[in-house]
Amino acid sequence: VDAFRARHGGVIKVPAAMWHEQPHPDRPGEMLPGTGFATYSLKVNLPRGMNASKLALYGRNQGGSVDWLVLSDDGSMTLGREMQGKVGRSADEAINFQNYALFGFSADGYQSLHIIAHLSNFDWARGGFWLSPYLGTEKEIRQGKIRAFLTEAIIFGICIITALYHLIVFFQRREDASNLFFACLCGSIALRQWLTGRFFEELGVEPSRVAYDVMMSLEWVTMVLMILFAALFIEALVPSRRFQRFVRIWCVGLGTLVMAILLLTPPITY
C-alpha cells in the first residue's frame, strides 16, 4: 500500500464529489475529466476488542465498474474481493454492471485493514463514487440488503397487480380507454422498479456490454413511458381538444423521439 502511494503521486482529496468537479493534480487550472479510471485507498482502524471474524463490505451502486479489495494492515494478504462489472483502462476494456457487490471476510487478529477500490467509468458524464459503501458485521449488512430488496419487490408486486387488474377491466369494457392507459402507466412503473431494483443483476445475468446498454436504455425509456401514459390517462378522463393536441405533439411526438434516442445511442450520450 505504501509503495503504491509512493509510486502514484497524483492524488485528490477524498471524500470528494464527482471527478469533473476536482482540480487536476498535474495540470493547474484544469479539472479532471468525468470519464476514466481511478484507485481509492482507505485505511480502517478497527475498535479494540471487536469481533472481526465476520465482517462484510457492501459496495452499492457506483455507476461505473468497481473492483473491491480488502487487504490486511500491511497489504500483504487479501482478506476479501468482489467485482462490480469489469474494470478497464478504456471503454473497450471496461464492462459496467449495476449489481450490488456484497461480500464477507474475516479480519480477526488485525487492528486495521485497507479497502482498495479500482473504479472505471466510461458510460456516464459524471464519474466517481455515487454512494458511500457500507462496512460492518456480516449479519447486519446482509439483513439491511434483504430489507431493501424486499421493499423493492413489494413495490414491484403492487404495481404489477394494479396493472393486471386494470388491464382485465379494460378487456371487459373496451370503450373506456382510461383503464388501458392506467394499466400501461402502472406497468411502466413496475418495469422501472424492476430495473432500478437491479433484479436482473441479482438473478444472475452475466455482465456484458450488450446487457448493460439494454438495461440502461430501458431504465431511461420507462421515465418517458410514465409521462406519456399519464398524459393519455388524463386525456381519457377529461377530454379536451387543446389538451389532446398537447398530448399528441409534446407527449407522443416528442416522447417517441426521445425514446428513439435512448434506444439507439450509447449511455454516455444521454
Side-chain angles (χ1 to χ4, degrees):
V1 175
D2 293 335
F4 175 84
R5 291 174 176 172
R7 187 168 62 253
H8 300 280
V11 297
I12 61 174
K13 183 180 179 181
V14 293
M18 301 294 99
W19 293 342
H20 70 285
E21 299 176 348
Q22 304 304 310
H24 200 293
D26 300 325
R27 301 174 185 174
E30 294 187 21
M31 307 299 285
L32 289 171
T35 58
F37 56 92
T39 296
Y40 291 79
S41 174
L42 174 67
K43 182 179 180 180
V44 179
N45 294 319
L46 301 175
R48 292 185 177 181
M50 175 184 179
N51 182 11
S53 59
K54 292 184 178 180
L55 300 180
L57 180 69
Y58 184 18
R60 306 173 75 192
N61 179 21
Q62 303 300 341
S65 51
V66 189
D67 183 7
W68 297 94
L69 294 99
V70 178
L71 307 177
S72 57
D73 51 3
D74 60 356
S76 61
M77 182 176 296
T78 301
L79 305 179
R81 185 173 187 175
E82 184 72 13
M83 298 186 68
Q84 292 175 265
K86 178 185 176 183
V87 178
R89 293 175 174 266
S90 66
D92 295 331
E93 295 180 8
I95 298 178
N96 202 341
F97 208 59
Q98 304 295 297
N99 64 312
Y100 296 139
L102 194 160
F103 60 99
F105 61 92
S106 175
D108 202 16
Y110 296 100
Q111 296 298 320
S112 63
L113 52 86
H114 285 277
I115 299 176
I116 304 293
H118 303 292
L119 189 150
S120 63
N121 167 60
F122 297 96
D123 295 295
W124 299 94
R126 297 170 177 83
F129 268 102
W130 290 5
L131 300 170
S132 299
Y134 292 156
L135 175 66
T137 62
E138 187 171 8
K139 181 180 179 180
E140 292 179 347
I141 294 292
R142 293 193 182 278
Q143 286 179 345
K145 181 181 179 180
I146 291 173
R147 284 195 296 267
F149 189 80
L150 289 177
T151 302
E152 301 278 0
I154 290 172
I155 297 174
F156 169 77
I158 292 173
C159 293
I160 281 292
I161 291 173
T162 306
L164 292 176
Y165 171 78
H166 284 85
L167 193 60
I168 293 173
V169 173
F170 168 73
F171 287 137
Q172 295 175 343
R173 299 173 53 189
R174 295 177 181 270
E175 67 277 4
D176 187 3
S178 63
N179 288 308
L180 174 62
F181 295 138
F182 189 74
C184 293
L185 173 60
C186 293
S188 301
I189 298 174
L191 177 59
R192 179 167 180 79
Q193 187 68 24
W194 179 276
L195 292 168
T196 57
R198 310 305 171 197
F199 287 95
F200 278 126
E201 291 87 342
E202 292 295 326
L203 291 174
V205 174
E206 290 295 326
S208 68
R209 169 57 58 183
V210 174
Y212 175 78
D213 288 348
V214 170
M215 286 187 285
M216 284 298 102
S217 296
L218 290 177
E219 182 178 325
W220 285 75
V221 163
T222 53
M223 292 192 291
V224 182
L225 290 176
M226 288 188 293
I227 298 174
L228 173 60
F229 288 124
L232 291 172
F233 172 65
I234 296 174
E235 179 197 350
L237 291 177
V238 188
S240 170
R241 296 189 64 179
R242 288 186 177 181
F243 187 69
Q244 183 184 47
R245 189 180 306 161
F246 170 79
V247 172
R248 294 295 184 271
I249 296 175
W250 294 103
C251 295
V252 178
L254 183 60
T256 302
L257 177 62
V258 173
M259 286 190 291
I261 295 174
L262 294 172
L263 293 172
L264 300 176
T265 58
I268 191 65
T269 305
Y270 52 83

